[in-house]
Amino acid sequence: SYTTDTKSREENKKTLESLHSLSVDITKIRRLKEWVLLQDVAYVKEVAGILQEMGADETTVANIIERCPEAILHTPAEINSQRALWQLVCQNEKQLIKLIEQFPDSFFTTDYQQNQKANILFFQELGLKNNIITRFLTSAPNIFYNPVEKNKNVIETLQRNYLNLGGSEANMKIWILKLLSQNPFILLNTSTAIQENLEFLQKNDFTDQEVLQLLSKLKGFIFQLNSTTMQKSMLFSKNIFKCSDQELKQLVLKCPALLYYSVPVLEERLEGLLKEGISIAQIRETPTVLELTTQIVQYRIKKLSALGYDIKSGNLESLNGTKKDFEVTYGKIQSKKERPIFNPVAPLHIED
């Protein structure tokens, strides 16, 4: 337990000297986490030694300490344990040091080592590839802090529901692994919340097949919602699009964002589209346009308008998709516009 009371304490001279000898920018640490410099005990040289042993050069070591100053408060034993743990999924130490440099905070959280190890082994048993597990360790480290039983429980709930909804035993493993790799944060939910959300969809007349379809389309985000927000979003869409329950269901299947985004988000995006002269009828025809932020929509409309493409009378499909998808669409419209009406090199058939 480190103290953060900075008033009556002085910076540890030994720590400062050690950091200085490693060319660490101490002003950065003062600005970021000065309390680290006030601790009586720090393991600057030892931590640097372990990182260098793994292949880090002086600049890399300084960079890691500047970005995550509390690294120097961990004992060499803690860091070596963490190193052994991450080596379970890293190809080699070169990859490991690269990850530590990019995500030092994730690596230097050593309080949950037993849970981390149990979860790494569980994910490997489940069939997740090591490169996916390293991605989880760096971008979603808190799923490893859960006791492994909690994560197992969530996975079992998902598997049970998948089969109950008509999914096949043969496809279940692929489905679970895909869901997890798309959104590992589903593990932060409780089994009860997952169950309640699925029941909400069934109560709203989505068939088992449709619920399965939504789960795959939503990449697991549905498990981070609750029935109250979903109900509000659906009611908002029903009023805006003036549609029946059956029509609303079809719109949601076409664009799960109508279920996922809160009313304020949907309102803001709708308003942005209407300001651009787009009609409710057009949005209803292509609801997936609501998955885009207002800024993205404005940027894309501007680009298409420069080509003389009128979005008000055109199809909103041209706005849709990822950045890559849009660039392909834009390129097609551009080349169509630039293509000559006749082929200048073709021979002209003129009668004598």
Side-chain angles (χ1 to χ4, degrees):
S1 57
Y2 312 119
T3 174
T4 50
D5 174 22
T6 59
K7 284 174 190 170
S8 57
R9 308 194 58 195
E10 282 185 6
E11 290 179 351
N12 184 326
K13 284 192 175 65
K14 193 182 168 195
T15 302
L16 293 179
E17 281 165 19
S18 302
L19 289 170
H20 188 70
S21 71
L22 290 167
S23 307
V24 171
D25 185 342
I26 295 165
T27 54
K28 272 188 188 174
I29 295 181
R30 283 196 186 107
R31 203 166 55 239
L32 192 65
K33 287 176 181 170
E34 194 196 18
W35 58 271
V36 169
L37 303 173
L38 309 177
Q39 304 309 314
D40 295 332
V41 179
Y43 303 91
V44 184
K45 286 180 178 162
E46 294 86 339
V47 171
I50 294 170
L51 292 171
Q52 283 161 345
E53 218 177 87
M54 284 191 260
D57 58 20
E58 193 180 276
T59 313
T60 304
V61 171
N63 186 22
I64 289 169
I65 294 172
E66 283 164 13
R67 287 186 57 205
C68 181
E70 57 269 51
I72 62 172
L73 302 178
H74 290 290
T75 66
E78 285 173 333
I79 291 176
N80 278 321
S81 294
Q82 196 72 338
R83 175 185 179 178
L85 205 58
W86 281 46
Q87 278 176 325
L88 293 172
V89 286
C90 283
Q91 294 166 348
N92 49 42
E93 296 214 308
K94 190 181 174 186
Q95 186 201 7
L96 177 53
I97 204 71
K98 204 173 172 185
L99 286 174
I100 297 171
E101 188 176 13
Q102 286 175 296
F103 307 95
D105 290 318
S106 301
F107 181 79
F108 290 107
T109 301
T110 62
D111 302 346
Y112 306 91
Q113 282 180 337
Q114 274 184 310
N115 285 357
Q116 282 184 326
K117 186 172 185 178
N119 279 307
I120 286 173
L121 297 174
F122 166 59
F123 291 142
Q124 285 177 329
E125 272 168 42
L126 205 57
L128 277 172
K129 290 192 165 63
N130 282 345
N131 62 329
I132 302 284
I133 301 173
T134 53
R135 202 180 79 213
F136 289 178
L137 276 169
T138 52
S139 57
N142 37 353
I143 66 169
F144 292 87
Y145 308 159
N146 285 338
V148 72
E149 290 71 29
K150 154 95 171 59
N151 287 341
K152 276 183 180 172
N153 202 352
V154 171
I155 296 292
E156 280 161 14
T157 303
L158 289 170
Q159 289 171 327
R160 191 173 57 250
N161 278 295
Y162 180 77
L163 295 174
N164 289 346
L165 291 166
S168 72
E169 190 86 51
N171 291 334
M172 183 175 69
K173 186 180 175 182
I174 296 165
W175 182 77
I176 287 282
L177 295 181
K178 191 176 179 186
L179 200 62
L180 268 180
S181 56
Q182 286 172 332
N183 182 14
F185 297 105
I186 55 174
L187 292 169
L188 298 179
N189 298 290
T190 63
S191 306
T192 319
I194 290 173
Q195 203 66 50
E196 281 171 3
N197 287 348
L198 294 174
E199 281 167 15
F200 166 81
L201 293 174
Q202 287 168 319
K203 278 177 196 159
N204 277 274
D205 294 328
F206 285 93
T207 65
D208 288 355
Q209 193 58 45
E210 286 166 345
V211 174
L212 259 189
Q213 194 184 324
L214 273 174
L215 296 192
S216 302
K217 273 193 169 183
L218 277 164
K219 300 182 172 74
F221 288 121
I222 189 165
F223 302 126
Q224 285 160 253
L225 302 172
N226 62 63
S227 50
T228 314
T229 55
M230 287 194 280
Q231 187 72 62
K232 284 178 182 170
S233 296
M234 281 176 76
L235 193 62
F236 172 78
S237 299
K238 190 180 177 181
N239 292 335
I240 287 294
F241 296 120
K242 297 182 173 50
C243 56
S244 66
D245 288 346
Q246 189 56 34
E247 287 167 331
L248 176 65
K249 206 173 80 159
Q250 291 313 312
L251 281 174
V252 169
L253 287 168
K254 207 172 174 183
C255 174
L258 295 176
L259 201 62
Y260 175 65
Y261 289 123
S262 65
V263 172
V265 171
L266 290 172
E267 262 177 334
E268 186 215 336
R269 292 187 178 186
L270 204 70
E271 212 175 288
L273 289 162
L274 296 175
K275 270 184 187 166
E276 296 292 337
I278 291 164
S279 68
I280 291 283
Q282 279 177 295
I283 300 167
R284 185 174 164 169
E285 192 59 39
T286 315
T288 40
V289 79
L290 289 166
E291 291 172 1
L292 304 169
T293 66
T294 305
Q295 289 83 350
I296 290 173
V297 167
Q298 285 169 343
Y299 167 76
R300 291 182 182 183
I301 289 175
K302 205 173 172 184
K303 278 200 84 170
L304 291 172
S305 299
L307 293 178
Y309 185 89
D310 183 12
I311 202 76
K312 287 173 233 171
S313 56
N315 190 321
L316 297 189
E317 280 296 339
S318 51
L319 289 177
N320 264 342
T322 60
K323 188 181 177 190
K324 201 176 174 182
D325 296 334
F326 175 71
E327 279 164 7
V328 170
T329 308
Y330 178 79
K332 282 180 185 169
I333 295 170
Q334 193 176 33
S335 61
K336 208 172 181 183
K337 188 175 182 290
E338 289 169 357
R339 199 179 296 139
I341 293 162
F342 69 93
N343 186 344
V345 294
L348 290 173
H349 297 289
I350 302 167
E351 287 179 19
D352 293 335

